[in-house]
Amino acid sequence: MEHVMPTSHVTEEARKGGFLGWLDENIEKPFLFAGLLAIILIITFQTFYRYIITQFTDGAGSAVWTEELARFIFIWISYLAASIAIKNRENIRVDFVYDRLPVKWQPAFWIVNDLCYLVLGVVVLVMGIDLVRFQIRFPQIAPALQIPYYLPYMILPIGFGLMSLRLVQDIWKEIKKAGIKSGIAAAGITAVIFAPVLIGIDLASTTILFGYFAIFLVVGVPIGISLGLASLVTLIGSGTLPVDYIAQVSFTSIDSFPIMAIPFFIAAGVFMGSGGLSTRLLNLADEMLGSLPGGMALATIATCMFFAAISGSGPATVAAIGSLTIPAMIERGYDKFFACAIVAAAGAIGVMIPPSNPFVIYGVASQSSIGKLFIAGVIPGVLTGLVLMAFSYWYSKKKGWMGEAKERSPKSIAKAFWDAKLALMVPVIVLGGIYGGLMTPTEAAAVAAFYGLFVGLFVYKGLNMSNIVDAFMEVCSTSAIVIILMAMATVFGYVMTVEQVPAKIASFILGVTENKILILLLINVLLLVIGTFMEALAAIVILVPILLPIVTKVGVDPVHFGIIMVVNLAIGFATPPVGVNLFVASSVAKVKLEEVSRQIFPILGLMILVLLAVTYIPELSLMFIGD
């Protein structure tokens, strides 16, 4: 669950603060807007250059500089956008404990959260300055652009310096609201948290690593920052690696072309969603299924499946489709709790059907083919949708929720298809480009983002001067949260590897049983539990280094395991008590989460049956994948 400060409040503060207030509100935005637009255009140009322009130039002057320039800009906007996520309190965190604290204690714990984050920010800021100085003293040159590496590395002191500034602002804002006593209490709690390592208490490295990670999660520190802080504390306490390793990896771990697919897929979903895409897809699904019992529920699930092939995100699918279909279902007589539950469950398909950000992250973490993961996710996603449709049809018929009686004909269906044609082209571009051998997943994502931007601006015209900056900021902020999570998880994973944690866990489990069926069952249970309180992307980057060696030793294909993992964690999106899809759906309908949770349990049971089928019938995932 995320805490988000209302933007209207920020805007009002900026207005009252005059020019300085405006500058404080907007300092990152021009750079982020220009940077995101630049990398979309650069990679789109790279793709067209390779397949079109070279046909007329005999391949001369290949655009080798484009990928390197795009990577460097991507790293810059990722760390610059992190400050906006801090300012708007948009981060992936475990709020289960925080939300249950007495209201009078919450400000102090929020300041503790900020202070812990600030520790990492200041450390990377200082180490980043040292790294830039080292690069100036012993210059390295980027191979394609022929620029000194200290220029791209300057994002570390600049980005983490800006993050630290935003954290100080947030701490001061909280102290002004809650009082100086809360600030003093928070400082004391923070000092107690770090005291064991600072005073040199002798603890095992693994105890420090996982103990501190758990403490930071309980406090409410963002998961990515918790990973980085736990790694930092472990390096200080054990001395196994130099502390400045964190700054180096903060750059090198995301200097990766495949990871760039994440902001591009997010951008494609945001741009298309802003252009009235959801309405067109819903009209198409309603034309095809609306006359059946539970027709609106069936249309909702089908629309979620269509939208999943664009957004790559479960919560985004629920927000975009649920805001249209939940009120429509309630108006047609459906139980409002059922309406919320079915949208929350169908939204989970958003991460199964490609493109899917969890598949991108799993592919990077496991060194698996992202293209193969995409194609392997189609059948599990469609199967989940069909099972939800069958349940909705049966349940609606039982409750007497009949379809809407209106004239439907091949002509009206054809018209609905025609109206939605541009939206339906996105998965064709992405999957067709990848499996036709024309584009890498990252290039396909960039072309899809460019297509979404063009359609949103000039065809659907939902993107305009009044909302285009907000759309760009949403893309940058959302992707930055994920990118920082991946960077810090890389540090965490390397510390685990040095301490041989994955090998020890694998030996322990394989010592208990080497039965493949039982091991997969245990892992499924573990993932279902973790998925109830941890966001899927965070769970993937943390658990892949631990679990993948175990399953490969018992003969599970890494691509198949990626599908098992993502389907598992997708179910977590809709599982109480902290399933994010449930929060989004219940907020759309303005109903209590507890009521929606009771309604969703039988639906979750069916989704778990699909999970078991996917787990123990590998062909469901791998039948269309070549050797």
Side-chain angles (χ1 to χ4, degrees), residues 474-544:
E474 180 184 348
V475 174
C476 290
S477 179
T478 303
S479 62
I481 294 166
V482 178
I483 299 308
I484 289 180
L485 172 67
M486 294 192 69
M488 295 302 138
T490 302
V491 180
F492 190 86
Y494 196 80
V495 174
M496 281 201 305
T497 302
V498 168
E499 299 297 335
Q500 298 185 317
V501 172
K504 290 174 183 175
I505 294 175
S507 298
F508 172 76
I509 292 178
L510 293 171
V512 174
T513 177
E514 292 190 10
N515 184 289
K516 178 179 176 180
I517 294 174
L518 189 55
I519 286 174
L520 288 174
L521 183 62
L522 292 172
I523 288 175
N524 275 332
V525 172
L526 171 67
L527 291 173
L528 286 171
V529 171
I530 287 175
T532 63
F533 67 88
M534 184 175 288
E535 208 274 349
L537 305 181
I540 289 169
V541 295
I542 294 167
L543 294 175
V544 165

Side-chain angles (χ1 to χ4, degrees), residues 185-198 212 215:
I189 294 170
T190 307
V192 169
I193 289 173
F194 287 98
V197 168
L198 294 179
Y212 268 95
I215 290 170

Side-chain angles (χ1 to χ4, degrees), residues 32-54:
L32 295 178
F33 187 93
L36 178 60
L37 181 61
I39 61 174
I40 291 172
L41 294 178
I42 288 169
I43 300 303
T44 302
F45 166 76
Q46 171 182 292
T47 307
F48 280 93
Y49 187 98
R50 188 166 65 248
Y51 293 109
I52 297 177
I53 298 176
T54 53

Side-chain angles (χ1 to χ4, degrees), residues 93-104:
R93 66 180 82 246
V94 177
D95 282 338
F96 186 77
V97 174
Y98 177 89
D99 289 338
R100 283 154 182 79
L101 288 172
V103 175
K104 64 179 181 179

Side-chain angles (χ1 to χ4, degrees), residues 61-79:
S62 177
V64 294
W65 54 271
T66 52
E67 180 181 320
E68 189 170 81
L69 177 60
R71 290 201 325 267
F72 290 160
I73 295 174
F74 159 69
I75 296 169
W76 270 73
I77 64 175
S78 294
Y79 284 123

